[in-house]
Amino acid sequence: MRIASLTMFAAAVVFVAAAPAGAQLIDENFDGVTPPALPAGWTIDNANSDSQEWKTTGSFVCSGNSVYMHYNSSLAMDDWLFTPGVALTSGWTYTLTFNYRAASAIYPEDLTVYIGTSAGAGAMVTQLIDLPGITNATCQLATVTDFSVPATGTYYIGFHGHSPADMDDLVLDDILLVNTDTPVELESFDVE
């Protein structure tokens, strides 16, 4: 009986980070556009098909301009704001921060934030944070820490305004997505 032998050769493997720890993958304060325009790459979905949709403004701001969703007196809000696509790596962690507020403390607003693989409501399958009943009329910081994605690829963050009809304005500003992970870098190794 003959026994086969297998010899493995020395191999060098290096993993290189697309975005090092601390890299700001999204950093948007909406100050670089003239209201009501959105920054390049930002998209919306007016799911309730009314005359109101996300747009920028110089009012209700946390700093400079902000983005806001105006109410409809007869229809519940059902409107999405999507970030541009950003490359994320499976196994790494990320932190999302943003400022939010209602235009008036007596009209509560509802916001839920998701992440998905395309800029569309149907692709927003992973909830990052739910902020029901927003009544703060001054900016408040929301933080989602150490979340990860199931597979390496391009992802979009979706801000879903879903307040009841006849409320007021929902405001977002200073959206920041940071890579909080340090990639593993393997030098070289021998396998025999």
Side-chain angles (χ1 to χ4, degrees):
M1 177 195 275
R2 185 168 202 197
I3 298 176
S5 66
L6 177 64
T7 304
M8 297 197 149
F9 300 100
V13 178
V14 177
F15 295 100
V16 180
Q24 296 178 351
L25 305 174
I26 296 173
D27 185 3
E28 185 58 66
N29 62 12
F30 304 100
D31 294 348
V33 296
T34 302
L38 292 174
W42 288 73
T43 57
I44 59 169
D45 179 3
N46 183 358
N48 61 358
S49 300
D50 67 355
S51 61
Q52 304 300 331
E53 54 190 35
W54 288 99
K55 55 190 162 192
T56 57
T57 182
S59 302
F60 315 118
V61 298
C62 301
S63 65
N65 290 334
S66 64
V67 65
Y68 81 108
M69 184 62 230
H70 190 61
Y71 73 97
N72 182 311
S73 59
S74 59
L75 283 176
M77 187 184 295
D78 187 8
D79 294 88
W80 291 84
L81 172 70
F82 300 106
T83 67
V86 61
L88 302 181
T89 303
S90 176
W92 289 14
T93 56
Y94 301 92
T95 295
L96 172 69
T97 60
F98 59 94
N99 278 307
Y100 67 95
R101 62 169 283 196
S104 172
I106 61 172
Y107 294 106
E109 303 291 345
D110 297 329
L111 175 71
T112 309
V113 182
Y114 295 85
I115 190 167
T117 55
S118 67
M124 296 288 118
V125 296
T126 303
Q127 182 178 302
L128 296 177
I129 191 170
D130 184 21
L131 299 168
I134 297 168
T135 57
N136 51 292
T138 58
C139 295
Q140 184 170 329
L141 186 66
T143 302
V144 181
T145 58
D146 296 331
F147 71 90
S148 59
V149 294
T152 298
T154 301
Y155 287 84
Y156 301 79
I157 296 173
F159 297 85
H160 184 213
H162 54 95
S163 305
D166 208 23
M167 290 293 111
D168 205 336
D169 297 335
L170 174 61
V171 181
L172 299 174
D173 206 352
D174 307 315
I175 299 170
L176 181 65
L177 177 65
V178 176
N179 175 8
T180 54
D181 210 352
T182 302
V184 175
E185 184 173 317
L186 229 43
E187 292 299 326
S188 60
F189 60 93
D190 293 326
V191 177
E192 292 185 28

